[in-house]
mmCIF file of all heavy atoms in Angstrom:
data_model
loop_
_atom_site.group_PDB
_atom_site.id
_atom_site.type_symbol
_atom_site.label_atom_id
_atom_site.label_comp_id
_atom_site.label_asym_id
_atom_site.label_seq_id
_atom_site.Cartn_x
_atom_site.Cartn_y
_atom_site.Cartn_z
ATOM 1 N N GLU K 21 -15.080 85.178 53.297
ATOM 2 C CA GLU K 21 -14.816 86.636 53.487
ATOM 3 C C GLU K 21 -13.399 87.008 53.387
ATOM 4 O O GLU K 21 -12.458 86.350 54.017
ATOM 5 C CB GLU K 21 -15.370 87.027 54.918
ATOM 6 C CG GLU K 21 -15.191 88.494 55.112
ATOM 7 C CD GLU K 21 -15.617 88.925 56.573
ATOM 8 O OE1 GLU K 21 -15.789 88.075 57.390
ATOM 9 O OE2 GLU K 21 -15.794 90.085 56.763
ATOM 10 N N GLY K 22 -13.149 88.028 52.548
ATOM 11 C CA GLY K 22 -11.706 88.525 52.410
ATOM 12 C C GLY K 22 -11.313 88.636 50.955
ATOM 13 O O GLY K 22 -12.134 88.511 50.018
ATOM 14 N N LEU K 23 -10.042 88.908 50.777
ATOM 15 C CA LEU K 23 -9.419 89.169 49.388
ATOM 16 C C LEU K 23 -8.610 87.945 48.966
ATOM 17 O O LEU K 23 -7.902 87.407 49.739
ATOM 18 C CB LEU K 23 -8.549 90.403 49.484
ATOM 19 C CG LEU K 23 -7.876 90.741 48.175
ATOM 20 C CD1 LEU K 23 -8.898 91.384 47.140
ATOM 21 C CD2 LEU K 23 -6.876 91.863 48.433
ATOM 22 N N TYR K 24 -8.851 87.569 47.714
ATOM 23 C CA TYR K 24 -8.102 86.515 47.132
ATOM 24 C C TYR K 24 -7.407 86.950 45.811
ATOM 25 O O TYR K 24 -7.981 87.690 45.022
ATOM 26 C CB TYR K 24 -9.097 85.340 46.675
ATOM 27 C CG TYR K 24 -9.686 84.670 47.894
ATOM 28 C CD1 TYR K 24 -10.644 85.155 48.680
ATOM 29 C CD2 TYR K 24 -9.114 83.376 48.225
ATOM 30 C CE1 TYR K 24 -11.276 84.444 49.712
ATOM 31 C CE2 TYR K 24 -9.728 82.621 49.351
ATOM 32 C CZ TYR K 24 -10.758 83.194 49.999
ATOM 33 O OH TYR K 24 -11.246 82.471 51.086
ATOM 34 N N LEU K 25 -6.221 86.417 45.613
ATOM 35 C CA LEU K 25 -5.455 86.651 44.414
ATOM 36 C C LEU K 25 -5.754 85.536 43.530
ATOM 37 O O LEU K 25 -5.495 84.352 43.952
ATOM 38 C CB LEU K 25 -3.986 86.864 44.720
ATOM 39 C CG LEU K 25 -3.027 86.992 43.511
ATOM 40 C CD1 LEU K 25 -3.338 88.255 42.746
ATOM 41 C CD2 LEU K 25 -1.586 86.877 43.971
ATOM 42 N N ARG K 26 -6.165 85.732 42.308
ATOM 43 C CA ARG K 26 -6.390 84.649 41.352
ATOM 44 C C ARG K 26 -5.350 84.705 40.206
ATOM 45 O O ARG K 26 -5.167 85.756 39.564
ATOM 46 C CB ARG K 26 -7.766 84.675 40.755
ATOM 47 C CG ARG K 26 -8.125 83.599 39.722
ATOM 48 C CD ARG K 26 -9.515 83.755 39.256
ATOM 49 N NE ARG K 26 -9.878 82.678 38.281
ATOM 50 C CZ ARG K 26 -9.532 82.835 36.920
ATOM 51 N NH1 ARG K 26 -8.937 83.857 36.495
ATOM 52 N NH2 ARG K 26 -9.905 81.863 36.195
ATOM 53 N N THR K 27 -4.634 83.631 40.004
ATOM 54 C CA THR K 27 -3.661 83.619 38.983
ATOM 55 C C THR K 27 -3.849 82.440 38.030
ATOM 56 O O THR K 27 -4.304 81.403 38.442
ATOM 57 C CB THR K 27 -2.196 83.504 39.537
ATOM 58 O OG1 THR K 27 -2.102 82.361 40.369
ATOM 59 C CG2 THR K 27 -1.869 84.793 40.345
ATOM 60 N N GLN K 28 -3.541 82.669 36.770
ATOM 61 C CA GLN K 28 -3.777 81.563 35.806
ATOM 62 C C GLN K 28 -2.643 81.791 34.656
ATOM 63 O O GLN K 28 -2.500 82.829 34.115
ATOM 64 C CB GLN K 28 -5.089 81.605 35.102
ATOM 65 C CG GLN K 28 -5.406 80.462 34.247
ATOM 66 C CD GLN K 28 -6.894 80.443 33.829
ATOM 67 O OE1 GLN K 28 -7.608 81.425 33.953
ATOM 68 N NE2 GLN K 28 -7.316 79.340 33.325
ATOM 69 N N PHE K 29 -1.844 80.620 34.476
ATOM 70 C CA PHE K 29 -0.911 80.693 33.454
ATOM 71 C C PHE K 29 -1.462 80.137 32.197
ATOM 72 O O PHE K 29 -2.169 79.091 32.025
ATOM 73 C CB PHE K 29 0.295 79.848 33.830
ATOM 74 C CG PHE K 29 1.239 80.458 34.881
ATOM 75 C CD1 PHE K 29 1.011 80.170 36.232
ATOM 76 C CD2 PHE K 29 2.210 81.378 34.497
ATOM 77 C CE1 PHE K 29 1.866 80.833 37.154
ATOM 78 C CE2 PHE K 29 3.055 81.923 35.385
ATOM 79 C CZ PHE K 29 2.867 81.691 36.798
ATOM 80 N N TRP K 30 -1.125 80.891 31.010
ATOM 81 C CA TRP K 30 -1.532 80.497 29.753
ATOM 82 C C TRP K 30 -0.359 79.962 28.912
ATOM 83 O O TRP K 30 0.874 80.125 29.393
ATOM 84 C CB TRP K 30 -2.168 81.669 28.955
ATOM 85 C CG TRP K 30 -3.384 82.185 29.714
ATOM 86 C CD1 TRP K 30 -3.521 83.292 30.476
ATOM 87 C CD2 TRP K 30 -4.788 81.665 29.590
ATOM 88 N NE1 TRP K 30 -4.778 83.412 30.960
ATOM 89 C CE2 TRP K 30 -5.531 82.439 30.427
ATOM 90 C CE3 TRP K 30 -5.286 80.564 28.924
ATOM 91 C CZ2 TRP K 30 -6.916 82.186 30.585
ATOM 92 C CZ3 TRP K 30 -6.675 80.303 29.035
ATOM 93 C CH2 TRP K 30 -7.413 81.099 29.916
ATOM 94 N N GLY K 31 -0.636 79.398 27.773
ATOM 95 C CA GLY K 31 0.431 78.942 26.872
ATOM 96 C C GLY K 31 1.455 80.028 26.548
ATOM 97 O O GLY K 31 1.114 81.204 26.297
ATOM 98 N N GLY K 32 2.692 79.677 26.594
ATOM 99 C CA GLY K 32 3.758 80.654 26.354
ATOM 100 C C GLY K 32 4.240 81.316 27.636
ATOM 101 O O GLY K 32 5.186 82.146 27.577
ATOM 102 N N GLY K 33 3.655 80.856 28.713
ATOM 103 C CA GLY K 33 4.198 81.431 30.023
ATOM 104 C C GLY K 33 3.493 82.765 30.519
ATOM 105 O O GLY K 33 3.975 83.347 31.446
ATOM 106 N N SER K 34 2.502 83.224 29.745
ATOM 107 C CA SER K 34 1.907 84.523 30.136
ATOM 108 C C SER K 34 1.096 84.311 31.453
ATOM 109 O O SER K 34 0.383 83.255 31.680
ATOM 110 C CB SER K 34 1.054 85.035 29.077
ATOM 111 O OG SER K 34 0.021 84.163 28.705
#
Side-chain angles (χ1 to χ4, degrees):
E21 181 183 13
L23 180 69
Y24 290 77
L25 176 67
R26 181 180 178 275
T27 56
Q28 187 170 16
F29 283 95
W30 297 99
S34 62

